Amino acid sequence: MPDGCGVSVDDRSEYQGDGLGLVDDKGRVAIPASLRQALATNSPRADGKDGGTVIVGVHPQQKCLRAYDPAYVKILKAEIEAIQARQLNELGEPNYNLKRRGASGEPVPFDGSGRFIMPGFPRDYANIGENAFFWGTFDWIEIWDPKTLVDAVDVDPAMQAACRYHCKVKGIAL
């Protein structure tokens, strides 16, 4: 059954794919084609035109961004509330930082070519400058500064290798 955003939980497309995007001075970047169709499917515009809405915020644990469709908000909130319920402190109170970080996100429009403007604070937080590396994680899309990703110690080596590959293909030194 649809959740009010046009896509039911069972009908959600999963985010699989990767790519490197060039970021302009305004923070505008295009979502790679390998991820764009899933986002468009999960975030259809009410008027039927190409494009939609993507929510961009800081990742809960990594120095990167995560982007997802509006329908994922309910799923994310339920997951965070379940974690909070299991992790009450000695006074029986939840860790409020879970929701603070989990709720980080700003809805922004994207056009039919997948272009959107990254919000200022999340972009600054993740050190994203002239390039942004995108990686699908089924539920959301991670967006990284390539150098930050390659230097990270707690990230999948295949993801780092993919980032190095895309940078090499585009002639970007890390």
Side-chain angles (χ1 to χ4, degrees), residues 99-157:
K99 276 192 178 175
R100 288 179 183 132
R101 181 60 71 96
S104 167
E106 182 175 334
V108 294
F110 67 92
D111 66 18
S113 297
R115 290 180 304 228
F116 70 100
I117 297 175
M118 280 187 276
F121 166 70
R123 180 179 173 206
D124 183 70
Y125 175 84
N127 299 317
I128 296 173
E130 296 177 354
N131 302 290
F133 178 73
F134 292 77
W135 184 267
T137 67
F138 293 123
D139 295 329
W140 64 66
I141 301 165
E142 291 186 359
I143 308 172
W144 287 82
D145 164 68
K147 177 92 170 93
T148 302
L149 172 57
V150 168
D151 291 345
V153 295
D154 55 350
V155 177
D156 178 31

Side-chain angles (χ1 to χ4, degrees), residues 57-62 64-66 76 80 98 101-102 125 140:
V58 299
H59 189 280
Q61 296 179 354
Q62 303 285 337
C64 68
L65 306 181
R66 67 176 169 181
L76 181 60
I80 291 169
L98 291 171
R101 181 60 71 96
Y125 175 84
W140 64 66

Side-chain angles (χ1 to χ4, degrees), residues 1 6 9 14 28 33 39 41 48 72-73 85 95-96 118:
M1 170 171 352
V9 173
E14 295 179 334
R28 191 172 29 234
L39 184 59
T41 298
Y72 187 67
V73 172
N95 177 351
Y96 296 109
M118 280 187 276

Side-chain angles (χ1 to χ4, degrees), residues 80-91:
I80 291 169
E81 287 176 343
I83 293 168
Q84 275 189 315
R86 291 190 309 268
Q87 296 181 356
L88 300 178
N89 68 17
E90 61 275 353
L91 299 175

Side-chain angles (χ1 to χ4, degrees), residues 18-22 29-30 32 131-134 144 146 163 166-167 170 172:
D18 56 82
L20 186 70
L22 300 176
V29 65
N131 302 290
F133 178 73
F134 292 77
W144 287 82
C163 181
H166 285 290
C167 287
K170 292 198 176 190
I172 297 167

